[in-house]
Each structure stands twice: as structure tokens, then as C-alpha cells.
Amino acid sequence: MASVGSSFAGSKKGHLVTNKHVVAGCQASRVLHHGQAFKASVINADSKNDLGLLRSDIQPSRVFSINRDGA
């Protein structure tokens, strides 16, 4: 079974934010970045907010940073 979804870069260290329903049940994850496939691992997932956090070797030029002080 395969699943497809979107994500955005949350850090220049390869952290990606996606939805939990996209990564739920995944045994292996890959992320496409500029046409190249990178392995990704699920770091954490939040069912209540439907969020998933991935880590890959992607080094994006721009990121959507998350405020450490909260929303």
C-alpha cells in the first residue's frame, strides 16, 4: 500500500512537517525534493492535531520555521 501527501521544511536540518494520516502505518517513507528521492523517518505523530514530523537528509534553501514560544 502506498500513500502520497505534502510536507514543508521546518528546519535546515531536514525536519519536515506533514499530516499524521499521511504517515500513519508507513513502514518506509521517501520524500521527493527537486526531483530527487530521499529516505525519511517518522520522528513523531500527533493524532489530535493530525500532524506528523519527519527527518530526512534534505537540505532546503528556505524553511517555514516554527516559533519556539508557541503559536
Side-chain angles (χ1 to χ4, degrees), residues 5-49:
S6 60
S7 66
F8 65 88
S11 80
K12 289 193 175 187
K13 295 180 181 179
H15 294 97
L16 304 167
V17 180
T18 188
N19 294 104
K20 184 198 182 281
H21 71 265
V22 172
V23 297
C26 288
Q27 294 178 357
S29 298
R30 287 180 295 173
V31 178
L32 290 177
H33 181 65
H34 295 293
Q36 187 176 358
F38 293 85
K39 290 183 182 179
S41 56
V42 178
I43 294 175
N44 208 339
D46 177 358
S47 297
K48 183 177 179 181
N49 296 298

